[in-house]
Amino acid sequence: MSETAKKFGLLKGLSDIFICEINDSAGEYKEVGTPEQLIPAGEMTVSKSIEKAQFYYDNSMWDEVGQEAPSEMSLIGAAVRPAFLAWIEGKDVDTATGAILDDGDWHRKFYAISGTKNYTDGTSEHFWFLKCSFGGAEEAAKTKDNTTDASGSTLPFTAYSTVHKFTDGKHRKVVRIDTATTKVTDEQSWTAQVVTPDNLSTVCEKVTA
């Protein structure tokens, strides 16, 4: 690792959580529509785990085999209104009345999800998770009282590696940049499109002294 690269910092800030429906197949990875704001976010957690198995021979641990499991993501923020939630879940919206018609079934849809995490020194991390499925919203409501309490919603997603191999010959789960070393070019926006290994060089460039 470069001696001049920043290795540590303190995170304080989360913004620009965007979503875009995607199609992912062996032959193609493409956007369905354009990215749009998913939620005004207050908190995000991402849990990544490694599944491992050990093999013992000659009375010692001889080798270990592992693989990275899908990442579990939770976004806590403003309450998501019914029509937008219906789109995320693949539910029907009645064209005549705008009412949500929930069939109670799971619908297969995949999304790319983007966001920005801020460091206290003014730099940021931008990311695109390239293939996510929705896990069902969590929300709560209660009667009005004489407090300032209000509630939002929690959106859980699971992030996977793509089926598609990009031009670098690999499946990918996340594309992320640290603005201490990489910047979005003046002509581009991180959330205007899903950033993949194939279009990364048209969106970003290395920071030079």
Side-chain angles (χ1 to χ4, degrees):
M1 186 173 183
S2 170
E3 293 181 359
T4 59
K6 292 188 176 184
K7 295 192 290 184
F8 311 108
L10 293 174
L11 287 167
K12 188 176 183 180
L14 176 67
S15 61
D16 298 331
I17 304 297
F18 275 60
I19 187 170
C20 184
E21 187 176 353
I22 59 100
N23 281 336
D24 173 39
S25 66
E28 185 178 46
Y29 179 94
K30 69 175 183 178
E31 301 173 21
V32 180
T34 56
E36 59 184 296
Q37 187 178 28
L38 170 58
I39 190 172
E43 185 178 343
M44 179 183 74
T45 59
V46 178
S47 300
K48 181 168 66 174
S49 62
I50 306 296
E51 298 172 350
K52 297 186 293 184
Q54 293 77 37
F55 294 84
Y56 289 81
Y57 301 110
D58 291 337
N59 300 321
S60 63
M61 203 279 283
W62 186 75
D63 201 358
E64 185 174 64
V65 176
Q67 66 177 10
E68 184 175 310
S71 298
E72 299 299 330
M73 180 192 310
S74 179
L75 292 161
I76 301 173
V80 178
R81 289 189 175 266
F84 188 44
L85 186 60
W87 173 77
I88 297 172
E89 294 182 325
K91 306 296 186 180
D92 295 323
V93 178
D94 182 65
T95 55
T97 64
I100 314 306
L101 305 176
D102 191 334
D103 55 10
D105 292 330
W106 174 79
H107 298 270
R108 180 183 177 275
K109 295 182 75 174
F110 291 107
Y111 305 96
I113 295 177
S114 173
T116 295
K117 297 186 289 184
N118 306 115
Y119 289 92
T120 54
D121 66 355
T123 59
S124 301
E125 177 191 316
H126 303 306
F127 60 85
W128 272 106
F129 284 87
L130 298 179
K131 184 177 184 178
C132 303
S133 64
F134 184 55
E138 299 175 23
E139 59 184 5
K142 68 175 186 177
T143 188
K144 284 184 179 181
D145 55 25
N146 61 356
T147 71
T148 57
D149 288 349
S151 59
S153 57
T154 299
L155 304 181
F157 288 88
T158 302
Y160 306 91
S161 295
T162 60
V163 172
H164 180 70
K165 289 184 179 180
F166 294 95
T167 52
D168 60 6
K170 295 184 178 181
H171 313 281
R172 297 295 183 185
K173 182 190 283 188
V174 194
V175 173
R176 68 177 89 235
I177 66 168
D178 182 341
T179 62
T181 56
T182 309
K183 68 176 183 178
V184 179
T185 63
D186 294 338
E187 298 80 18
Q188 296 291 338
S189 166
W190 183 256
T191 57
Q193 67 288 296
V194 178
V195 180
T196 73
D198 291 352
N199 65 11
L200 183 62
S201 62
T202 68
V203 178
C204 305
E205 61 186 10
K206 187 173 289 186
V207 172
T208 57

